[in-house]
Amino acid sequence: MHGFKALIFDVDGTVADTERDGHRPAFNAAFAAAGLDWHWPPELYGELLAVAGGKERIRYFMHRAGIEPAPGVDVEAFVAGLHRDKTAHYLALLRQGVIPLRPGVLRLWREARAAGVRLAIATTTTPENVVALLENAGEPGLSGWFEVIAAGDVVPNKKPAPDIFTYALERLDLKPEDCVAVEDSDNGARAALDAGIRALVVTVNDYTVDQDFGAAALVVDQLGEPDSPPRVLAGDLGGRSLVDLAALDRLHRQLHGAG
Ligand code: XBP
Ligand code: MG
């Protein structure tokens, strides 16, 4: 029996490294198809990741670059159209099965399922992107493992606002202290912490490694597999060799008592 009842996972950057070789080329393909000369190379994209959400990121780019919509063009509709096309390109990429899950993700989900720990998603990206990523990850029916997929525009404010975590907690009918969150970015960490989830694990990636994760309980470079243990950047694994339910339970108990 564990002190927590559910794991709530972010998707982009946490479940898989989707940004540089997934979302980014999909944005560029949509720009090219629309006849725009915009192009987001990997480094610029890292800067644009400061803003979560594809539509929000396009608007942020336009603002930064001083790009005005053509006269008579409704900017909301223009951005929404571009983003719809970007999603189509991204889904096509996912269906090629070229974006694997990060190390330890499936291992931890399997362990959670076996132990009766509930699984949920809290992400900024669109729900169809989440389902496609999971269904092309090599484990048939994987998206069905998740009781709640809280995604995209179901809440008014994207991360770092806490809204998507609060929404996931409501759908799970759980309190923040019943859950462990797994994130990869400063925006995501703030969202989880501001939703009241203190048992927060951050698995950094190349885009986020130098960010500030506030009061995150544990920061690692990956969840880890038996043959590739994680590097611990903050906090500790309590003698465990990877991020497993026992390590999370210890961390949760330190924050919340015996529960
Ligand atoms: C993920 C994002 C998303 C993706 C693009 O943030 O910021 O915007 O980059 O997704 P997080 P969409 O991992 O913090 O949830 O284009 O579908 O919005
Ligand atoms: Mg993320």
Side-chain angles (χ1 to χ4, degrees):
M1 188 69 184
H2 298 95
F4 56 93
K5 298 189 173 76
L7 296 178
I8 307 181
F9 266 77
D10 169 50
V11 174
D12 294 303
T14 301
V15 166
D17 279 317
T18 50
E19 295 291 7
R20 200 193 66 175
D21 300 324
H23 290 293
R24 187 186 65 86
F27 281 110
N28 285 332
F31 300 154
L36 300 166
D37 63 356
W38 308 353
H39 181 80
W40 292 354
E43 202 180 315
L44 170 64
Y45 192 69
E47 293 169 24
L48 299 176
L49 282 173
V51 172
K55 293 189 286 291
E56 291 78 0
R57 189 166 300 137
I58 294 170
R59 280 196 292 268
Y60 172 56
F61 168 75
M62 291 175 68
H63 176 76
R64 257 177 65 131
I67 299 167
E68 299 281 349
V73 170
D74 174 58
V75 69
E76 292 304 310
F78 169 69
V79 169
L82 267 180
H83 188 252
R84 254 194 312 278
D85 193 38
K86 174 262 167 179
T87 298
H89 285 288
Y90 181 64
L91 290 172
L93 236 154
L94 290 178
R95 289 188 191 115
Q96 293 168 26
V98 291
I99 302 192
L101 301 184
R102 291 189 65 188
V105 169
L106 198 54
R107 169 191 58 73
L108 184 58
W109 289 349
R110 283 202 177 104
E111 196 189 352
R113 255 162 81 81
V117 171
R118 299 160 70 190
L119 292 173
I121 295 285
T123 179
T124 293
T125 199
T126 50
E128 62 263 48
N129 288 353
V130 179
V131 172
L133 176 70
L134 296 176
E135 288 307 316
N136 288 282
E139 176 78 30
L142 184 56
S143 64
W145 293 16
F146 292 83
E147 207 175 307
V148 171
I149 296 182
D153 295 326
V154 292
V155 290
N157 303 306
K158 297 196 167 153
K159 300 173 189 176
D163 302 27
I164 199 71
F165 279 99
T166 303
Y167 177 86
L169 289 169
E170 281 167 12
R171 294 279 312 280
L172 287 164
D173 196 19
L174 289 177
K175 299 191 183 71
E177 56 269 30
D178 294 328
C179 301
V180 174
V182 186
E183 269 288 355
D184 73 301
S185 70
D186 51 2
N187 280 334
R190 246 182 75 198
L193 290 166
D194 285 354
I197 302 174
R198 293 165 62 203
L200 167 66
V201 177
V202 176
T203 56
V204 299
N205 53 56
D206 287 349
Y207 274 133
T208 67
V209 65
D210 294 323
Q211 295 178 351
D212 176 359
F213 307 110
L218 178 67
V219 181
V220 288
D221 70 341
Q222 56 162 318
L223 295 173
E225 295 285 3
D227 58 355
S228 78
R231 198 157 64 85
V232 178
L233 307 174
D236 71 89
L237 290 172
R240 306 295 297 177
S241 59
L242 37 70
V243 182
D244 60 6
L245 288 188
L248 295 181
D249 196 42
R250 178 180 162 277
L251 189 137
H252 182 269
R253 279 171 202 277
Q254 279 176 346
L255 291 160
H256 296 291

